[in-house]
Amino acid sequence: MDSSSSNEPNTPPSEDQEGSYLDESSIDHEIILEDAPGEGVMEIEDDGDDDDGDDYYEGEEGEEGAEGEDEEGGEIIPQEGPCFPEHNEPVYCVAIGPDTQSEVLIATGGGDDKVRLWTFPSYQQINVLEGHTDSVSSISFNHNKTLLASGAMDNTIRVWKINGELASLLEGPDDLIEWIDWHPQGNVILAGSKDNSCWMWNAENGSFMRAFVGHTDSVTCGGFSPDGKKVITGSADQTVKVWDPRSGNCAGTIGGVQYHHAPILALASRDSESAKLVATGDEEGGVYIANYETGKVLTKMSAHSDSVESIVFLNALPYVASASMDGIIHIWDLHSGMLRNTLSHKAFADGAGVSKIKAHATEPFLYSATTSGTVHLWDCRSCQCVRSWNPHRMPILDLDVSLNGRVIVTGSDDLSAVVSLYE
């Protein structure tokens, strides 16, 4: 990674520099899901044969799940106990920091323009990080959890040391910060902005490194590739762009009539020996999986009836999960490109959308948060809801999970953050 600084942003790449990956005839699979008449259960319409079939878990009490449902599956357990209420405004973002045997450091950001640092299980507020002049919309710890970055609607990013000292102020974007992401191995940070650009800085000294310019609408999602060698961005302009972080040039664009037809809202990437994958979800419920190295679209899925808010690759299984405001999580098999499981939240809170999902670091579990204030733990092998609880009275806006899966932190529109402990 080139860490040299520059005084001026890179100029946009020319058309001949920016290749268009997508061959409009290169989609391997197209999957369309529709409601089965009178059933409300999703089915696949696809020409290929899939011997595995797809499992469906509706989750209604007294009904039988597709696989392995026990009598306690789907039960909501009220979460009563201490929370972090001091923001007095919506808590837009949460992050789990250093985790020792005795305590966990937790960061929260909210509509009060502040970042607050807490310790668990003492529930003590140890620092209030001030300086932003508008709502803090995203926070993230670096790879070794020695630095914390906060992005805000004041168009800036602030990088903090764990003791609360300001390490650097990162400026450049002309509009609010949509997201931030750390390099997987170094103290380099990316940010996507509503001004259609993505920026990269050296977080330790605050020096500007690159601006990635080429999108024609807000850069809504993105990050470094898993190996840190590429930058991948998704945009409301319905395209994904892959960038060289050393030069700032666009290596290619995935877009066109065979790709998204609505603003892209969610993006995740995964590297394997056979392919470098990017999964994306859009405002109208479409989900696509592409090879970001070749630009080939591998699977097109008309899966959801509402916007896809979150998408993740599972760490312990060859699956990708998409979560939507329609209250559904779809689990897709990366080997076949077929639907594996469908996780419905209708039994727990009818009409609630799924606002965020997070995969366990090492186990085949998935955590989901909803607009009804509930959190759910799913076993993605059996499609079973292992546990469900209700830490908030209003929509959950963000969710984070510790590496061992025991500590779950949520931030909500109810002006609080809550820590749940799963034994």
Side-chain angles (χ1 to χ4, degrees), residues 90-159:
V91 179
Y92 293 121
C93 48
V94 298
I96 296 177
D99 184 354
T100 66
Q101 290 185 347
S102 59
E103 66 179 15
V104 180
L105 182 66
I106 294 168
T108 58
D112 60 354
D113 312 342
K114 296 177 176 62
V115 176
R116 298 177 185 269
L117 298 181
W118 316 79
T119 56
F120 174 80
S122 67
Y123 288 91
Q124 295 296 313
Q125 179 176 267
I126 61 171
N127 235 318
V128 180
L129 311 183
E130 300 184 84
H132 285 296
T133 58
D134 207 337
S135 298
V136 178
S137 55
S138 52
I139 53 176
S140 179
F141 286 93
N142 66 341
H143 68 290
N144 59 6
K145 298 187 184 297
T146 58
L147 295 173
L148 172 70
S150 58
M153 296 182 184
D154 63 6
N155 311 346
T156 69
I157 295 171
R158 290 175 179 264
V159 179

